[in-house]
Amino acid sequence: MNSRIIKLREAMRQNALDGMIVTNPCNIRYLISVNAEGTLLITDKENIFITDARYIEEVQAKVTIEDEISIYDLVGIREQEYITFFEDCDRVGFEENDISYAKYVKYKARYRLRDMIETDNLIEKIRMIKGEDEIANIRKACEITDKCFTHLVNFIKPNMTEREIAFEIHKFFMENGADGLAFDTVVASGENSSKPHAVPTDRRIKACDIITIDMGATYNGYASDMTRTIFMGSPSEEMKVMYNFLLACQKRVTGKIRDGASTKEISQGVVKEFDIAGNYTLIHALGHGVGVDVHEIPVISDRSDYILKQDMVVTNEPGIYITGKYGMRIEDTILVNKLSSEVLTKSSKELIVIK
Amino acid sequence: MNSRIIKLREAMRQNALDGMIVTNPCNIRYLISVNAEGTLLITDKENIFITDARYIEEVQAKVTIEDEISIYDLVGIREQEYITFFEDCDRVGFEENDISYAKYVKYKARYRLRDMIETDNLIEKIRMIKGEDEIANIRKACEITDKCFTHLVNFIKPNMTEREIAFEIHKFFMENGADGLAFDTVVASGENSSKPHAVPTDRRIKACDIITIDMGATYNGYASDMTRTIFMGSPSEEMKVMYNFLLACQKRVTGKIRDGASTKEISQGVVKEFDIAGNYTLIHALGHGVGVDVHEIPVISDRSDYILKQDMVVTNEPGIYITGKYGMRIEDTILVNKLSSEVLTKSSKELIVIK
């Protein structure tokens, strides 16, 4: 059996679960390395992946005997057969944060389960600690992202649109070995930069614009996530002061990231610094885990309560947004080590002015 | 109030609902034309959109007074306030196919609802019938897709990889006025074509390959969906026979699409034809609705039970897949009219051989 399913079975034992229904596509990808719609059942007797005709050939080609996963075509399963899967299981877990209410009701009836037990991110918690191969993949995704940033600093010229820049990022990723985009790229210029989740528009870059670029690639299914804020022509004094404050703040956070650090305490530190410096508010989480999904646990915010552990990979992304004027954000993807951390996105964070 | 919310309120009245919690992002986009995470509440007193600081500036800029939508920042809402939203509502509906089980439990407590009523695709059913503006947008998305296909027939050369072709499609869409991709493009060549949902690989196109291209653009938020199967160099006699059979079959389906047609009967016809012609099986649905989402209801399959209506937009996409050998699919996006239908994707379906 593959080592990730073994880990899951161990976690299930600790939670007194003898069965589990896995529906979250990221968790399925993590556990059995296939990219297919379907449901993974962990029963006391076997591991079962139920998929449909659109995917079955591909899944059968990828899964080996050593994986010990039985593959079923949805259409071929009789009602009676569904009942047998969990018949010897007392406590069957499910993913309450992923499954729809309608599917919950359907599965409860289909598998004849008296109860389904909420599992509170059981698999996501296993995913938090990355293995060597996972770190290598994230490292590679970050490398491609860094190369892309170097390219962009030369590529971006006045009068280009945000959409053109976003597309260039995608093109660069594809031509440099990435699987694709880890998420929808943000290229937010001028007044658009005050919106943290701005969708790239046809707005043209002009002199004195701030440009915030939030981008990430996937490599072998693993994500990177990096934001840089750069300036077209000379930034105002006000912008410079704010940028240098934000950068110092971001670096102090990186200095605190290590095994044993509290996500709440780190975030509270930033909230306090923001407040003292300029009555700024941290309007989004300070960071999040990165892996097969670009947004994973642990969340780093003053409302979260995780202790960072060695081999977690997280982002550090403070941002300041002045409604209707402009905003800025600086973000790295960071590997948590025993006594310190390693910044995996190595692009310069010094104030960059392009012309 | 905008006409779509008025329609929803009318549908709610018919279902004796005096409140509704809308969580499906496509439905929110459809109802209030914003692209932001959040929850839309339709109460007896008002329309409320709850979002967070990442989106609030953009949402406030887009929503007008005439829309009659109150915008709330998640962080500013006190527990007591949540309780007041539905306090005069007896029956509050929710989207059981979208909301997670965990959110269902949370919302039930948050809004102090004794029951939450399943609404069985209430909004999706309204979305099935397209307005003039929606049809115009889909038409435009189809036009861009057709132009792209014309371009591809000249562009594709031996030795190109599937990924390169998929990327060219994205590039063409971006350079020709589309918002972006309606879904992950399928470019499946040679033996990969036997997998209906193949992800583009680094496999290089070679002589005698079948190439299946399933692509769609979005324009003003509305999707197109088209598949063409083309041939690199001369196809075998077996392939030609199969292609011509599939095309005849696809055209017969188009001939049956009109107001009043049964999705079940149309599909049963194809299943029967497949069986008689070559013991083929229709392994996926024959079609689906297209709109703000590329996969909507009505589903056209022998297990579905819809009656097509004027101004629906649906796909017609029979496919044959021979495991380990090859496959082919032909798909159009089609507007349902009173007495017939109009094929909106107008690219040639004659057997195309490229060199």
Side-chain angles (χ1 to χ4, degrees):
Chain A
M1 211 175 323
N2 86 49
S3 63
R4 293 177 181 178
I5 293 185
I6 291 173
K7 263 190 210 160
L8 170 58
R9 285 189 172 272
E10 176 53 32
M12 286 168 60
R13 249 189 308 278
Q14 287 169 9
N15 288 273
L17 296 170
D18 41 18
M20 174 122 184
I21 300 173
V22 184
T23 50
N24 179 332
C26 287
N27 287 340
I28 290 174
R29 198 143 50 84
Y30 175 79
L31 289 168
I32 65 172
S33 301
V34 298
N35 225 332
E37 283 179 33
T39 309
L40 178 66
L41 310 181
I42 310 290
T43 76
D44 56 344
K45 295 185 286 284
E46 54 184 339
N47 309 310
I48 295 166
F49 185 57
I50 301 174
T51 185
D52 66 67
R54 294 171 302 165
Y55 301 101
I56 210 137
E57 185 183 350
E58 184 146 16
V59 172
Q60 278 170 335
K62 278 211 182 137
V63 169
T64 67
I65 289 181
E66 286 77 44
D67 286 330
E68 294 181 46
I69 298 163
S70 309
I71 299 159
Y72 283 74
D73 184 341
L74 187 63
V75 174
I77 308 177
R78 296 181 317 278
E79 202 180 311
Q80 193 51 42
E81 207 165 357
Y82 278 121
I83 298 168
T84 64
F85 290 149
F86 291 115
E87 64 186 347
D88 298 327
C89 296
D90 270 341
R91 284 170 47 91
V92 176
F94 76 110
E95 300 185 280
E96 73 278 10
N97 293 313
D98 174 76
I99 199 169
S100 69
Y101 176 80
K103 267 203 179 158
Y104 163 83
V105 171
K106 185 168 147 187
Y107 283 18
K108 203 153 172 274
R110 169 182 283 175
Y111 299 109
R112 295 277 170 90
L113 300 171
R114 230 168 317 137
D115 284 317
M116 283 165 69
I117 315 287
E118 298 187 15
T119 53
D120 189 22
N121 293 327
L122 190 71
I123 301 170
E124 286 83 349
K125 284 175 192 160
I126 297 172
R127 278 168 45 195
M128 284 202 293
I129 308 293
K130 267 68 183 178
E132 260 180 58
D133 53 332
E134 298 185 278
I135 292 170
N137 285 326
I138 296 171
R139 200 180 279 282
K140 184 76 192 168
C142 290
E143 261 177 49
I144 297 170
T145 309
D146 282 333
K147 268 196 209 167
C148 183
F149 183 70
T150 304
H151 168 68
L152 288 178
V153 169
N154 295 309
F155 174 82
I156 297 173
K157 299 280 175 243
N159 224 29
M160 272 181 189
T161 69
E162 294 171 354
R163 269 161 58 97
E164 281 165 6
I165 298 168
F167 190 72
E168 183 69 15
I169 292 167
H170 193 178
K171 182 161 165 256
F172 189 93
F173 285 166
M174 297 302 286
E175 290 173 352
N176 285 273
D179 315 331
L181 296 175
F183 54 91
D184 290 340
T185 302
V186 174
V187 177
S189 63
E191 64 282 3
N192 288 347
S193 63
S194 71
K195 302 166 198 152
H197 269 243
V199 174
T201 69
D202 288 322
R203 184 187 184 284
R204 291 183 184 281
I205 308 294
K206 50 188 194 215
C208 302
D209 268 355
I210 279 189
I211 312 168
T212 301
I213 300 170
D214 189 348
M215 62 182 177
T218 51
Y219 182 81
N220 269 343
Y222 283 80
S224 64
D225 193 357
M226 179 173 92
T227 307
R228 290 292 182 269
T229 298
I230 60 178
F231 300 85
M232 174 61 70
S234 297
S236 68
E237 206 48 42
E238 183 189 74
M239 287 178 183
K240 269 194 226 169
V241 170
M242 192 190 283
Y243 186 86
N244 288 325
F245 162 72
L246 184 66
L247 178 58
C249 186
Q250 201 260 2
K251 285 181 174 172
R252 276 190 291 275
V253 169
T254 299
K256 290 177 185 170
I257 291 178
R258 61 170 181 281
D259 189 291
S262 145
T263 59
K264 187 188 282 295
E265 280 171 24
I266 291 177
S267 306
Q268 282 171 340
V270 175
V271 169
K272 202 178 285 175
E273 283 189 45
F274 267 34
D275 193 47
I276 293 168
N279 212 2
Y280 303 136
T281 311
L282 184 62
I283 66 168
H284 53 65
L286 181 61
H288 54 80
V290 174
V292 290
D293 197 359
V294 71
H295 291 117
E296 309 189 334
I297 53 170
V299 177
I300 306 182
S301 93
D302 55 346
R303 283 173 293 172
S304 74
D305 211 354
Y306 295 93
I307 299 298
L308 296 179
K309 293 279 165 208
Q310 187 171 4
D311 295 334
M312 286 184 177
V313 176
V314 296
T315 67
N316 163 15
E317 50 176 313
I320 299 172
Y321 311 92
I322 315 293
T323 304
K325 280 180 81 181
Y326 58 83
M328 41 183 80
R329 179 167 68 254
I330 303 171
E331 174 188 29
D332 284 311
T333 297
I334 295 176
L335 172 63
V336 182
N337 287 329
K338 197 73 200 162
L339 299 170
S340 63
S341 67
E342 180 188 349
V343 177
L344 301 180
T345 43
K346 299 183 191 296
S347 298
S348 170
K349 290 186 286 277
E350 294 313 303
L351 193 150
I352 293 176
V353 175
I354 56 178
K355 277 174 185 151
Chain B
M1 213 174 323
N2 85 50
S3 63
R4 293 177 180 177
I5 294 186
I6 290 173
K7 263 191 210 161
L8 170 58
R9 284 190 172 271
E10 175 53 33
M12 286 168 60
R13 248 189 307 277
Q14 285 168 9
N15 287 273
L17 296 170
D18 41 17
M20 174 123 185
I21 301 174
V22 184
T23 50
N24 179 333
C26 288
N27 288 341
I28 290 173
R29 199 145 47 86
Y30 175 78
L31 289 168
I32 64 171
S33 302
V34 299
N35 226 333
E37 284 179 33
T39 308
L40 178 66
L41 310 181
I42 310 289
T43 76
D44 55 344
K45 294 185 287 282
E46 51 184 342
N47 310 308
I48 295 166
F49 185 57
I50 302 175
T51 184
D52 66 66
R54 293 172 304 164
Y55 301 102
I56 209 140
E57 185 183 349
E58 184 145 15
V59 172
Q60 279 170 333
K62 278 210 182 137
V63 170
T64 67
I65 288 180
E66 286 76 44
D67 287 330
E68 292 180 48
I69 298 163
S70 310
I71 300 161
Y72 282 74
D73 184 342
L74 187 64
V75 174
I77 308 177
R78 295 180 317 279
E79 202 180 312
Q80 194 51 41
E81 207 164 358
Y82 279 120
I83 298 169
T84 64
F85 290 150
F86 291 115
E87 63 185 348
D88 297 328
C89 298
D90 269 342
R91 285 169 47 90
V92 175
F94 76 111
E95 300 186 280
E96 73 276 11
N97 294 312
D98 174 77
I99 200 169
S100 70
Y101 177 80
K103 267 202 178 158
Y104 163 83
V105 171
K106 186 168 145 186
Y107 283 18
K108 203 155 172 273
R110 169 181 284 176
Y111 298 109
R112 296 277 171 89
L113 301 170
R114 231 169 314 136
D115 284 317
M116 281 165 70
I117 315 289
E118 298 187 17
T119 53
D120 189 21
N121 293 327
L122 190 70
I123 302 170
E124 286 83 349
K125 283 175 192 160
I126 297 172
R127 277 168 45 196
M128 285 202 293
I129 308 294
K130 268 68 182 177
E132 260 181 56
D133 53 331
E134 298 185 277
I135 293 170
N137 286 326
I138 297 171
R139 201 180 278 282
K140 183 75 191 170
C142 290
E143 262 177 48
I144 297 169
T145 310
D146 282 333
K147 268 195 209 167
C148 183
F149 183 70
T150 304
H151 169 68
L152 289 177
V153 170
N154 295 309
F155 174 82
I156 297 173
K157 299 280 173 244
N159 225 29
M160 273 181 189
T161 70
E162 294 170 353
R163 270 161 56 97
E164 282 164 6
I165 298 168
F167 189 73
E168 183 68 16
I169 292 167
H170 193 177
K171 182 162 164 253
F172 189 93
F173 285 166
M174 297 300 286
E175 290 173 352
N176 285 273
D179 315 331
L181 297 174
F183 55 91
D184 290 341
T185 303
V186 174
V187 177
S189 64
E191 64 281 3
N192 288 347
S193 63
S194 72
K195 302 166 196 151
H197 269 243
V199 173
T201 70
D202 288 322
R203 183 187 184 283
R204 292 183 184 279
I205 308 295
K206 50 188 194 214
C208 302
D209 268 356
I210 278 189
I211 312 169
T212 301
I213 299 171
D214 189 349
M215 61 182 180
T218 52
Y219 182 82
N220 269 345
Y222 284 80
S224 65
D225 192 357
M226 179 174 91
T227 308
R228 290 293 181 270
T229 299
I230 59 178
F231 300 85
M232 175 60 70
S234 296
S236 67
E237 206 47 45
E238 183 188 75
M239 286 179 185
K240 270 194 227 169
V241 169
M242 192 190 282
Y243 185 85
N244 288 325
F245 162 71
L246 184 65
L247 178 58
C249 187
Q250 201 259 3
K251 285 181 176 173
R252 275 191 293 274
V253 169
T254 299
K256 290 177 186 171
I257 291 179
R258 62 170 181 281
D259 189 291
S262 145
T263 59
K264 188 188 281 295
E265 281 171 24
I266 291 177
S267 307
Q268 282 171 339
V270 175
V271 168
K272 203 178 284 175
E273 283 189 44
F274 268 33
D275 193 47
I276 294 169
N279 212 1
Y280 303 136
T281 311
L282 183 62
I283 67 170
H284 52 64
L286 181 62
H288 53 80
V290 174
V292 289
D293 197 359
V294 71
H295 291 117
E296 310 189 334
I297 54 170
V299 178
I300 307 182
S301 92
D302 56 346
R303 283 173 293 170
S304 74
D305 211 355
Y306 294 93
I307 299 299
L308 296 180
K309 294 279 165 209
Q310 187 172 2
D311 296 334
M312 286 185 176
V313 175
V314 297
T315 67
N316 164 15
E317 49 176 312
I320 299 172
Y321 311 93
I322 315 293
T323 304
K325 280 180 81 182
Y326 59 83
M328 41 184 80
R329 180 168 65 255
I330 302 172
E331 175 188 29
D332 284 312
T333 297
I334 295 176
L335 172 64
V336 182
N337 287 329
K338 197 73 200 162
L339 299 171
S340 63
S341 67
E342 180 189 349
V343 177
L344 301 180
T345 44
K346 300 183 190 296
S347 300
S348 171
K349 292 186 284 279
E350 294 313 304
L351 194 149
I352 293 176
V353 176
I354 55 177
K355 275 170 188 155

